[in-house]
Amino acid sequence: MKIIIIGLGNFGRSLALNLTDNGHEVFGVDNKMEKVDLLKDHIAHVVCMDANNEYAYKVLPIQQADLGIVAIGENEGASIVTTAILKKYKHLKIVSRSLSKIHDTILEAMGINNVVHPEQDAAFRLTKQISFNYALDYFRVDNKHSIAEVFSPCSFSGKSVKSLNLTQKYSVSLITVIRDIKNPMSSKKNSTRKVIGLVTGDTFLQKGDILTLFGSNKSIMNFVKDKDAIPSSRK
């Protein structure tokens, strides 16, 4: 996918690098040469230009691009003008960073459905990591539900999923299990973590498993706070 990212601050730069690592062709744009220089050897293309100048877009392959991301984080007005310019390219899907509630309202009025709030999302993520305590990672589904990765308690080792009654006892659903798989061809004690696939009631858990759970935030927090759900290394 060809992606144009406008605004190469911390958020835009991280996005550009991650998207490049995932195989996308990224065109980075910023009006500050020092930010452009930081990425010139790491992504497909970088351009130093004023994104509020409509004529400057002639240097970009915008007709061939699939996605335009407005990642400007310092100037609300510049972000809005840039989004308005991108809107003129009807084929282009647009994701725009919002800096305030008013910004949200303007983007909604412009018909931008894909709006991101990196600061708010980071704060929410940190809050949930603190609240979930022993969760290794999590993904927010909505304001009330999440998918979380947690250590399987030692008391679950050797037991079948069916016998644990997770839904009845904790009001959570087990989606899958991440497990250390040892390489039988290696003489060293090497192992690789792999997702074992969809679990069934007859799936047996092992020591060191990581459980991927779905449930309400409250249910997941209750699970990780339960003394039986704390990994032995943290007791």
Side-chain angles (χ1 to χ4, degrees):
M1 184 182 290
K2 290 182 183 291
I3 302 171
I4 295 173
I5 299 178
I6 301 175
L8 300 177
N10 292 333
F11 172 62
R13 184 167 61 251
S14 296
L15 201 56
L17 292 170
N18 286 325
L19 288 170
T20 296
D21 287 344
N22 278 273
H24 299 286
E25 186 178 4
V26 177
F27 295 76
V29 177
D30 202 280
N31 64 353
K32 294 181 179 178
M33 196 65 206
E34 60 267 26
K35 293 183 179 179
V36 169
D37 284 341
L38 285 173
L39 285 176
K40 65 181 181 181
D41 297 323
H42 302 286
I43 65 176
H45 308 278
V46 284
V47 177
C48 185
M49 63 173 247
D50 178 6
N52 282 181
N53 180 353
E54 188 172 353
Y55 297 102
Y57 285 76
K58 292 179 181 179
V59 303
L60 298 177
I62 200 150
Q63 295 294 350
Q64 291 76 44
D66 304 291
L67 175 65
I69 301 175
V70 182
I72 297 171
E74 299 174 353
N75 188 322
E76 219 169 82
S79 176
I80 291 167
V81 171
T82 299
T83 304
I85 293 172
L86 291 182
K87 276 286 290 181
K88 294 184 178 182
Y89 299 92
K90 304 298 183 183
H91 73 286
L92 193 67
K93 182 179 179 181
I94 300 171
V95 175
S96 192
R97 177 182 186 176
S98 176
L99 305 176
S100 68
K101 290 289 186 182
I102 294 175
H103 199 168
D104 281 346
T105 302
I106 295 171
L107 291 173
E108 183 179 349
M110 294 170 68
I112 304 299
N113 297 317
N114 297 300
V115 178
V116 294
H117 308 85
E119 291 84 3
Q120 291 180 28
D121 291 344
F124 180 91
R125 188 176 183 84
L126 180 58
T127 299
K128 283 293 178 282
Q129 285 175 341
I130 292 170
S131 298
F132 283 1
N133 196 11
Y134 294 103
L136 297 174
D137 200 1
Y138 85 98
F139 170 77
R140 177 176 63 171
V141 176
D142 58 26
N143 288 334
K144 294 184 178 180
H145 299 84
S146 296
I147 295 171
E149 292 180 356
V150 302
F151 283 111
S152 178
C154 291
S155 59
F156 284 12
S157 181
K159 294 183 179 178
S160 69
V161 171
K162 180 168 52 180
S163 69
L164 294 172
N165 294 318
L166 294 176
T167 303
Q168 292 80 6
K169 187 175 181 181
Y170 296 102
S171 297
V172 296
S173 297
L174 179 60
I175 300 172
T176 191
V177 174
I178 302 171
R179 177 171 293 164
D180 283 338
I181 306 295
K182 303 236 185 292
N183 183 357
M185 304 300 293
S186 174
S187 58
K188 298 180 181 179
K189 295 182 179 180
N190 292 336
S191 63
T192 304
R193 280 185 173 175
K194 291 187 178 180
V195 176
I196 69 169
L198 292 175
V199 298
T200 68
D202 295 326
T203 299
F204 282 82
L205 300 181
Q206 298 179 9
K207 182 179 179 181
D209 281 350
I210 294 173
L211 311 181
T212 303
L213 303 173
F214 168 78
S216 68
N217 296 334
K218 182 178 179 181
S219 295
I220 294 173
M221 282 190 282
N222 286 340
F223 179 88
V224 298
K225 285 177 181 178
D226 189 289
K227 63 179 177 65
D228 291 330
I230 298 175
S232 58
S233 61
R234 298 198 181 190
K235 283 186 179 180

